[in-house]
Every structure is written in structure tokens, then in C-alpha cells.
Amino acid sequence: MLPGIGFSEILVLGLAALIFIGPKDLPLMMRKLGQFVGKGRRMAREFQAAFDDIARQSELEELKKEIQELKRSNAMTQAQEDLAAVEADINSAVMRDHPSAPETEPGAEPSKGEGKA
């Protein structure tokens, strides 16, 4: 319950309320006090729910930003791959037109006549 208030203090408060308010009006006052506490709890829950909604919206905005950044980086990766493919095509075309060394297949051994001089 409340910090620093034990059972004996609550019992003394209840007896004081019974004496000052009277047995006739005490149930009515306790009912009104219960309604007041209920309204306070409802307001606290609504307040907490509003903060939770704000936090969720903030998280959603952050996720949207992350997704957009991923899309941009994915587009950059795709552009780099396209440039690499074009570069490879250009290099192969240049190598076909101007070979600098005789073409041999990889892994092929030179013939016996081409050996040492």
C-alpha cells in the first residue's frame, strides 16, 4: 500500500473516520473514495498508454529510416555490381582486340617443341 503506513496506522485512521464521520455516512464516503481512486487509476493507465503509443511511433519512424537506408545501400550495391560487369566487358573487349601475350588455356602445359631454347 502506502510506504511507511502499516496495519496499525490504517486501523487508527479507520477508527478516527468512524468516530468523526459516523457509521451512517462512512459507507458513502468510502464509496466516493473508491470511485476517486478508480478515476485516478484510469487516468494513470490512459497516460501510460499515451506514452506507449508515442514510443511505438518513435520506434516505427526509426525502423522506416533504417529500411530507407538499407534500400539506398542496396541500390548502391547494385550499381557497383553493374559497374563491375561493364568494366569486365570492356576489359575483355580490349584484351580480344590487343592481346599482349599469346593466349593459352589455363592449366594447359606448353608443348615439347615450345620448351627451352
Side-chain angles (χ1 to χ4, degrees):
M1 291 238 252
L2 297 173
I5 297 179
F7 180 72
S8 60
E9 287 90 0
I10 292 175
L11 186 61
V12 169
L13 287 173
L15 286 174
L18 183 62
I19 292 170
F20 289 114
I21 296 172
K24 182 178 172 188
D25 295 328
L26 188 60
L28 179 62
M29 190 191 101
M30 293 303 283
R31 186 177 306 120
K32 292 214 183 243
L33 181 65
Q35 290 173 350
F36 179 73
V37 169
K39 284 181 185 178
R41 286 183 180 174
R42 270 183 259 130
M43 288 174 59
R45 270 184 266 146
E46 290 174 7
F47 191 68
Q48 183 67 36
F51 271 115
D52 289 344
D53 287 343
I54 290 171
R56 273 190 235 111
Q57 288 176 356
S58 173
E59 290 174 7
L60 286 175
E61 289 174 5
E62 290 176 15
L63 285 174
K64 286 180 183 178
K65 287 179 183 177
E66 288 179 18
I67 289 171
Q68 289 174 352
E69 289 175 10
L70 286 173
K71 285 181 180 178
R72 280 190 219 122
S73 68
N74 190 18
M76 289 298 291
T77 304
Q78 183 64 34
Q80 288 174 344
E81 290 173 359
D82 291 344
L83 285 173
V86 169
E87 181 182 11
D89 289 343
I90 291 172
N91 285 339
S92 66
V94 168
M95 293 305 284
R96 271 191 309 233
D97 293 342
H98 302 294
S100 61
E103 294 184 23
T104 58
E105 293 182 17
E109 296 179 17
S111 62
K112 292 180 182 180
E114 294 177 357
K116 299 176 188 171

